[in-house]
Amino acid sequence: MPDTVGPVLGLEHVRAGMLQLVGGKAANLGELLSAGLPVPEGFCLTTDAYLQATDGEGSLAEIHQALTATAAGDLPALAALAGQARDLVRGTPVPSGIAAAIGQAYSALGTDVPVAVRSSATAEDLPSASFAGQQDTYLNVVGTVAVVEAVRNCWASLWTDRAVSYRAELGIDASTVALAVVVQRMVDAETAGVMFTANPLTGRRRQAVIDASPGLGEAVVSGSVNPDHFVVDPDTGRVIETRLGDKRLVVRPLQGGGTETLDMPDAGTDACLTDGQAAELARLGLRVERHFGSPQDTEWAIDADGRLWLTQSRPITTLYPLPEGKPAREGTRVYLCFSLAQGLTRPITPMGLASFKLIGSSVARAARFDVPEPRNGPSPFAEIGQRIYFDLTTVARSEVGRRIVPRVFDVMEARSATVLRRVFEDPRFSVTNKTPIGLLRHVVPAAVHARAPETLLRALFRPQAALRRVNRFARDFGKSLELGPGATPAERLDHAEFLLGNRLFSIVPAVLPLPALGFGMLALAGKLLGGKNRWDDLQHVLRGLPNNVTTEMDLELWRLATVIRDDGGSSSAVRNQAPAALARQFNAGELPAVLQAGLARFMDRYGQRAVAEIDVGMPRWSDDPTHILGVLANYLRLEDSRLAPDVQFNTATEQAEETVVRLVAEARRRGRIRGALVRAALRRARLFAGLREMPKYQIVVGLAEVRRQLQQVGAALAEAGTIADPDDVFFLDFSEARQGLTGSTSADLCSLVDRRREAYARELERRHVPRLLLSDGTEPEAVPSGVAGAAPLVPGTLSGSPASAGIVSANARVILDPVGAHLEPGEILVAPSTDPGWTPLFLTAGGLVMEMGGPNSHGAVVAREYGIPAVVGVPDATVLLSSGQRITVDGAAGTVVPG
């Protein structure tokens, strides 16, 4: 790089670290040149030139301020401000010094040489967002005057409506962006297009995907042509797939400047790339990927002499991260997303992940697996994309695992079961273990140690005694978690680790046999009743279940809403003030007396719960009651007493009892003993099935205690200046927090927290999380298959798993995060997934549609108990449906019909 940088910089001097000076496109082109890759020569007009040109009278400063004050959703206002900015830039002459520098650099390329003039923004092609195509490019520009004008037009394109609204949506300050411009010698392309060095649809790495068309690449990039499509293995050069497009439109350069678009009706008969050229492109893409260290989205061209050129490269921002830590020699592995199975789409904080490693290690040790370092988690644990995954490769290669695990997911998360079975068909996961001996060696000792056989026998023959015993165990468990007063921060950290590594999971084997028996009894009743399609009848048995802690919580919140409705001051406060303002008043003890006391009682009982509550880093409702106050406001909008949740729940209970009586009578007609067995089975099903929520609830109680201890640790670290804020402790792990307390680390924990918060914020923006993921990046669900599911009977119908019988037609309400969500009574809730933090919304919902889940997933069970129709496991429901859209949910058929 030269000692001084003027307004123009040769591409050979540009490097990745110069993003703020040259923008993303130029920085990447400079890197390609530095790696010896074929890039057309050219120069970059730096952001200093843009800032100088737009910093005179009538500058953009006022528009920057106006954009800062404009809401991201106010598109008309943003568009108006964008138009003002464009007019201002286009109406400002290019300063003479900059124009002269452009002319000099252009002349160095040759006399009136055709060039491409491309925008290169400082907020472009970032790892967390793709700004591709948001600024303008001008092709086949000839002559100094034309180049200077193209530069000014590029500057103005920083202010297109789409670019301004996208930056506003991402929260990027308008005053922090600037535009550089790349000027390169034009490649008179015979063929051009784009190439991804990883498959953007399936996620598979080391698989180049090429779209190609005759002429300039603009036809492919703009999407105006159906190109030829190639999938290539870059290691072997083998073309895996070829699909010819019609290639009807061809963009060619005009003599003297500009381009023309030609209609070529016969262009689709032959491929515009040979297999050899496709293989050469794939190998070139592999070199690009190795240089940048990540998969790339490239643009390329082949000139009349057959030479390959790269005209752009940027990271592929849509790929899900790869699993780490498994050597290639172990072969392809398959991972299941535990986070999604728990109804959690958002990332998990570093301390939340560290906590689950300890819990997972305690489970593995109980099953007599070797766990060398509990803080690293058990061997199947994997952290991918800040979410919890488990390596299921051993399950996939086990005859017993193949039989058991998909059946479990049939009732927990049915879509995962479907994709798992597809994975089992892959020859890379052929069965290598055909006996159950290994599984029994781990399961039987753990079950005996937890006294599971004794618990099952007691529940079978003395059900009420079993219920009393488990309730007593749950009460004692909560009390045993507390730490006495006066503990030091180090002791609090020790206690948190002890709870996670030794205490929390013990509740699961103590309680789980009871709901397992309940669902087993339901299945037994179905067998005894005989006949096909008994699920519709059995669904009704599970309505209005007793002993469900989540249902009890939701109904308690409804009772609080009825009390608030009858108190004028409380009702007015909830109806007329924002939930966040009410939350601040509650914490200060300043709410109306009835509301303050009632909410305090609710928090004493249920304040340890939260949305995404399995993450110890997430605030509990007792920390921030904003969500609960918003739910109360929703409840107060329900005016029809017949739709009151307690009425609905009692009605569901009565219907369930009537169903039991009817089914028992049906069984008795086939024999008194059969009738008695069906009655006993259904009674135990109703008594115990609701307990399925208790193990998780008790773990959440424990996590809340862990969080309380960590908050004290965070306060001590913040007071010492080791971290900036007490809650920053949740962006450390246990080892780092301990080092911070002892002062034994030389690391800058504040900087570490900042980096992790930025990474966490980026992951929060991710909309798609794979249920299953292979170690080569492939998402099995994204791979085309003829067995992915039955075709809808009606065009536009979305299919999922039946979860709660009934048919409802109403407006959809798509909610991605329940905190602060507004759901009108009777609307159909459409959500990615749900955990107990969502369920207060169920009370006034007319129906439920979820992207995740199976018939016995959390959301499905609660929907049945409230008697609302529900369909779960509907792929991309939150994308394909929109708020306000009229839909019909058939909870028995498992269908969602728009319109």
Side-chain angles (χ1 to χ4, degrees):
M1 179 176 171
D3 295 333
T4 59
V5 176
V8 168
L9 194 61
L11 284 179
E12 67 275 12
H13 298 301
V14 171
R15 295 294 182 269
M18 302 166 65
L19 178 67
Q20 294 304 312
L21 183 67
V22 300
K25 187 179 280 88
N28 290 339
L29 288 171
E31 281 294 316
L32 293 174
L33 272 171
S34 72
L37 293 164
V39 173
E41 64 177 327
F43 60 90
C44 174
L45 194 67
T46 68
T47 55
D48 288 345
Y50 166 83
L51 294 172
Q52 181 183 339
T54 59
D55 195 31
E57 284 190 23
S59 71
L60 293 169
E62 291 183 4
I63 296 176
H64 293 163
Q65 293 175 0
L67 285 169
T68 302
T70 303
D74 191 348
L75 298 183
L78 291 174
L81 289 168
Q84 293 176 29
R86 289 195 302 274
D87 290 344
L88 191 152
V89 174
R90 287 187 180 128
T92 302
V94 176
S96 58
I98 294 175
I102 293 172
Q104 184 177 357
Y106 173 65
S107 298
L109 296 178
T111 303
D112 286 341
V113 61
V115 293
V117 182
R118 295 186 170 96
S119 303
S120 181
T122 54
E124 180 183 63
D125 303 338
L126 303 176
S128 58
S130 177
F131 290 75
Q134 295 202 1
Q135 279 83 45
D136 290 345
T137 288
Y138 297 90
L139 301 178
N140 199 39
V141 181
V142 179
T144 301
V145 173
V147 171
V148 171
E149 184 62 22
V151 166
R152 182 163 54 183
N153 287 334
C154 283
W155 286 343
S157 73
L158 184 62
W159 301 100
T160 61
D161 292 356
R162 63 182 182 274
V164 169
S165 61
Y166 190 49
R167 291 196 296 265
E169 181 182 347
L170 293 176
I172 296 174
D173 187 344
S175 65
T176 64
V177 297
L179 194 79
V181 180
V182 175
V183 179
Q184 284 179 286
R185 182 187 294 272
M186 270 287 294
V187 177
D188 187 1
E190 289 292 310
T191 307
V194 299
M195 172 174 58
F196 294 88
T197 67
N199 194 317
L201 297 180
T202 67
R204 184 172 180 179
R205 273 48 164 198
R206 306 304 280 268
Q207 196 173 76
V209 177
I210 302 168
D211 284 344
S213 188
L216 302 180
E218 177 66 16
V220 178
V221 174
S222 66
S224 60
V225 69
N226 292 322
D228 289 345
H229 179 81
F230 305 86
V231 180
V232 186
D233 182 334
D235 293 311
T236 65
R238 184 172 67 93
V239 178
I240 301 168
E241 177 187 343
T242 300
R243 186 173 67 246
L244 299 186
D246 58 35
K247 306 182 290 293
R248 287 182 61 95
L249 297 179
V250 177
V251 179
R252 297 286 190 190
L254 289 170
Q255 186 71 28
T259 61
E260 63 178 347
T261 301
L262 304 176
D263 189 7
M264 305 287 285
D266 300 326
T269 56
D270 297 312
C272 62
L273 286 180
T274 66
D275 282 3
Q277 287 174 318
E280 187 179 0
L281 267 172
R283 286 191 292 269
L284 180 61
L286 188 57
R287 290 176 61 193
V288 175
E289 180 177 305
R290 285 171 174 166
H291 177 76
F292 285 108
S294 65
Q296 297 288 302
D297 167 6
T298 67
E299 296 178 20
W300 55 269
I302 301 177
D303 64 21
D305 296 326
R307 185 177 179 185
L308 297 183
W309 295 94
L310 290 167
T311 57
Q312 188 164 316
S313 184
R314 53 180 168 261
I316 304 175
T317 60
T318 57
L319 294 174
Y320 198 75
L322 282 176
E324 296 180 0
K326 293 293 182 183
R329 64 176 179 274
E330 294 190 11
T332 306
R333 309 193 70 82
V334 58
Y335 298 86
L336 173 82
C337 188
F338 178 79
S339 294
L340 283 184
Q342 290 297 309
L344 186 61
T345 56
R346 63 185 294 140
I348 297 177
T349 60
M351 189 62 80
L353 290 166
S355 297
F356 258 90
K357 288 177 183 177
L358 289 172
I359 295 173
S361 294
S362 73
V363 176
R365 289 200 309 270
R368 299 190 179 181
F369 286 98
D370 184 34
V371 183
E373 174 46 69
R375 288 180 180 174
N376 294 336
S379 57
F381 183 97
E383 176 188 332
I384 312 174
Q386 300 177 41
R387 293 164 179 88
I388 300 171
Y389 280 77
F390 281 107
D391 187 339
L392 289 191
T393 310
T394 301
V395 169
R397 292 175 176 156
S398 163
E399 194 74 55
V400 176
R402 285 180 172 223
R403 286 202 302 267
I404 294 175
V405 173
R407 290 179 182 176
V408 172
F409 277 94
D410 279 334
V411 295
M412 285 182 59
E413 215 290 284
R415 186 67 184 170
S416 292
T418 300
V419 183
L420 260 178
R421 290 187 174 101
R422 187 190 304 173
V423 168
F424 294 163
E425 298 171 0
D426 190 324
R428 292 176 292 178
F429 300 107
S430 57
V431 172
T432 57
N433 184 359
K434 297 185 178 182
T435 70
I437 296 174
L439 177 66
L440 294 174
R441 188 167 58 244
H442 294 290
V443 171
V444 171
V448 171
H449 178 74
R451 303 172 70 177
E454 176 188 337
T455 301
L456 284 170
L457 289 172
R458 183 183 295 107
L460 192 60
F461 295 106
R462 299 179 59 208
Q464 291 297 336
L467 184 62
R468 288 192 298 272
R469 186 175 185 275
V470 77
N471 284 331
R472 185 170 58 252
F473 183 90
R475 287 193 300 271
D476 294 343
F477 177 78
K479 295 176 183 177
S480 72
L481 301 176
E482 298 175 2
L483 179 65
T488 66
E491 289 170 339
R492 293 185 184 280
L493 195 61
D494 288 340
H495 185 61
E497 284 199 83
F498 172 76
L499 292 180
L500 293 164
N502 298 277
R503 293 285 290 119
L504 260 61
F505 187 72
S506 64
I507 191 71
V508 175
V511 178
L512 195 58
L514 298 186
L517 177 67
F519 285 105
M521 290 291 99
L522 190 70
L524 174 62
K527 293 283 187 182
L528 291 170
L529 288 165
K532 296 181 179 180
N533 301 321
R534 302 304 309 214
W535 174 240
D536 287 349
D537 282 332
L538 296 177
Q539 273 195 78
H540 289 283
V541 174
L542 296 177
R543 290 192 168 186
L545 285 175
N547 305 315
N548 186 321
V549 66
T550 301
T551 304
E552 292 168 356
M553 174 192 73
D554 294 342
L555 290 174
E556 181 66 27
L557 190 60
W558 169 254
R559 283 189 284 271
L560 174 58
T562 61
V563 171
I564 291 170
R565 190 193 303 272
D566 294 334
D567 179 73
S570 298
S571 176
S572 176
V574 173
R575 292 178 188 271
N576 299 321
Q577 295 189 51
L582 293 172
R584 289 192 293 271
Q585 294 173 46
F586 173 74
N587 291 331
E590 298 172 352
L591 288 174
V594 170
L595 176 57
Q596 183 77 32
L599 190 56
R601 284 192 299 272
F602 181 85
M603 290 300 168
D604 285 343
R605 178 77 186 277
Y606 298 109
Q608 70 274 10
R609 306 215 75 161
V611 175
E613 60 193 1
I614 66 170
D615 182 358
V616 74
M618 291 297 292
R620 308 290 109 172
W621 288 339
S622 56
D623 297 325
D624 181 4
T626 301
H627 172 53
I628 290 302
L629 286 158
V631 172
L632 287 171
N634 283 338
Y635 286 177
L636 293 186
R637 285 194 288 270
L638 180 61
E639 301 294 341
D640 189 342
S641 60
R642 295 170 301 176
L643 300 178
D646 52 352
V647 174
Q648 297 272 56
F649 185 78
N650 291 336
T651 300
T653 301
E654 292 170 3
Q655 291 174 346
E657 294 294 343
E658 291 170 359
T659 301
V660 169
V661 171
R662 177 172 58 81
L663 294 178
V664 169
E666 179 184 330
R668 278 180 178 161
R669 288 194 289 271
R670 301 173 60 188
R672 293 181 60 186
I673 295 177
R674 186 185 296 266
L677 289 174
V678 168
R679 182 180 186 279
L682 293 180
R683 291 298 177 195
R684 282 158 180 76
R686 283 193 54 76
L687 187 65
F688 294 134
L691 291 172
R692 72 180 296 278
E693 294 290 309
M694 183 178 282
K696 181 179 179 181
Y697 173 76
Q698 293 297 332
I699 287 177
V700 168
V701 170
L703 289 175
E705 181 61 29
V706 169
R707 179 177 171 83
R708 280 193 289 271
Q709 301 304 325
L710 291 173
Q711 284 175 313
Q712 295 296 318
V713 173
L717 290 172
E719 185 177 357
T722 306
I723 56 178
D725 183 88
D727 279 353
D728 285 350
V729 71
F730 298 110
F731 287 84
L732 304 174
D733 61 25
F734 286 97
S735 296
E736 292 157 352
R738 191 172 303 281
Q739 291 168 359
L741 289 175
T742 60
S744 60
T745 178
S746 59
D748 182 352
L749 294 186
C750 287
S751 297
L752 178 63
V753 166
D754 287 344
R755 291 195 299 273
R756 287 180 177 168
R757 282 191 178 276
E758 289 175 7
Y760 181 80
R762 288 196 298 269
E763 277 299 321
L764 279 173
E765 299 297 320
R766 190 183 297 278
R767 287 293 305 275
H768 173 69
V769 179
R771 287 174 170 86
L772 270 80
L773 187 68
L774 303 189
S775 52
D776 64 0
T778 302
E779 294 183 34
E781 191 173 14
V783 176
S785 171
V787 296
L793 297 176
V794 178
T797 297
L798 308 182
S799 296
S801 298
S804 180
I807 298 176
V808 61
S809 295
N811 289 341
R813 176 70 65 175
V814 178
I815 297 179
L816 303 179
D817 185 342
V819 178
H822 179 92
L823 182 71
E824 290 291 339
E827 287 184 325
I828 297 170
L829 172 62
V830 181
S833 60
T834 62
D835 65 7
W838 287 73
T839 57
L841 293 173
F842 286 28
L843 287 180
T844 55
L848 172 68
V849 177
M850 284 172 26
E851 290 182 336
M852 263 65 75
N856 277 335
S857 61
H858 169 82
V861 170
V862 176
R864 283 196 297 272
E865 292 180 11
Y866 293 163
I868 61 174
V871 179
V872 300
V874 182
D876 300 320
T878 61
V879 176
L880 298 174
L881 301 174
S882 57
S883 292
Q885 181 181 12
R886 188 81 175 175
I887 62 174
T888 298
V889 173
D890 186 333
T895 60
V896 181
V897 182

